[in-house]
Amino acid sequence: MSQVLFADRIGDITVANGMVRIEYLSLKTQDPKTQEVEFSVSHRLVIPLTSFKEIVGRQTRLLEKLVEQSENKIKESLQ
């Protein structure tokens, strides 16, 4: 069974000794008056740098496709 990881934000990303460490943050509290938000680390992911580079490459290609699709929709709506 696969496990689902939910995070409100990503915190620190550090690289040391060929490993990438990513902190996933979850909402802890929000001040109703100031709307200031506090987060806490819920999970940490540690992966080799080569794997991280592959992930970033895939995400970059996905983002490029999403931008292209968005631009095409804008062009179609203007016609």
Side-chain angles (χ1 to χ4, degrees):
M1 177 197 268
S2 63
Q3 188 178 15
V4 175
L5 171 69
F6 175 81
D8 293 300
R9 291 204 175 163
I10 291 180
D12 289 334
I13 300 175
T14 57
V15 180
N17 300 321
M19 300 298 283
V20 178
R21 291 160 178 79
I22 304 171
E23 291 183 342
Y24 292 92
L25 306 179
S26 293
L27 179 65
K28 186 175 179 184
T29 60
Q30 182 173 11
D31 187 312
K33 293 179 184 175
T34 64
Q35 298 300 311
E36 192 169 312
V37 179
E38 183 179 346
F39 293 92
S40 63
V41 175
S42 60
H43 295 83
R44 285 183 181 87
L45 173 67
V46 181
I47 57 174
L49 182 57
T50 54
S51 297
F52 180 74
K53 286 170 61 176
E54 167 122 3
I55 291 168
V56 170
R58 288 181 182 201
Q59 290 175 332
T60 300
R61 289 189 298 276
L62 173 62
L63 183 57
E64 289 168 354
K65 286 184 179 186
L66 291 173
V67 168
E68 181 183 316
Q69 288 177 357
S70 175
E71 289 172 351
N72 288 340
K73 286 184 180 181
I74 291 172
K75 288 177 186 176
E76 289 173 3
S77 67
L78 294 176
Q79 293 177 353

